[in-house]
Amino acid sequence: MKKALISIPLAVLTATTLLAGCSSNEEAPASPGSASTEPVELNLWGGHPEIDPWYKKMAEEYKKRSPM
């Protein structure tokens, strides 16, 4: 009975992994280091308001280095 409890989830996991590997992706992934001309929107969620000034400063630095 223990073998069945272990074997069934293992078989399901194996099958889903194999099927995911066989799926096709219409879009080719971007290669590392390739630049995009489209603008990027960054969202940062924080839970500590005392860090907000630092987030704003880093956002300004990012805008200087990566103008839209």
Side-chain angles (χ1 to χ4, degrees):
M1 185 67 181
K2 275 188 173 183
K3 284 186 180 183
L5 291 176
I6 295 173
S7 298
I8 292 172
L10 187 60
V12 170
L13 180 64
T14 302
T16 55
T17 303
L18 288 173
L19 290 175
C22 294
S23 66
S24 65
N25 186 0
E26 297 293 326
E27 279 185 33
S31 62
S34 65
S36 174
T37 57
E38 296 181 25
V40 175
E41 180 179 327
L42 300 176
N43 292 312
L44 180 64
W45 294 8
H48 302 283
E50 62 271 11
I51 302 177
D52 284 348
W54 184 81
Y55 287 148
K56 289 178 183 176
K57 181 181 176 188
M58 291 300 108
E60 290 170 8
E61 289 294 322
Y62 178 80
K63 286 178 186 177
K64 286 180 190 175
R65 293 181 184 194
S66 303
M68 288 187 212

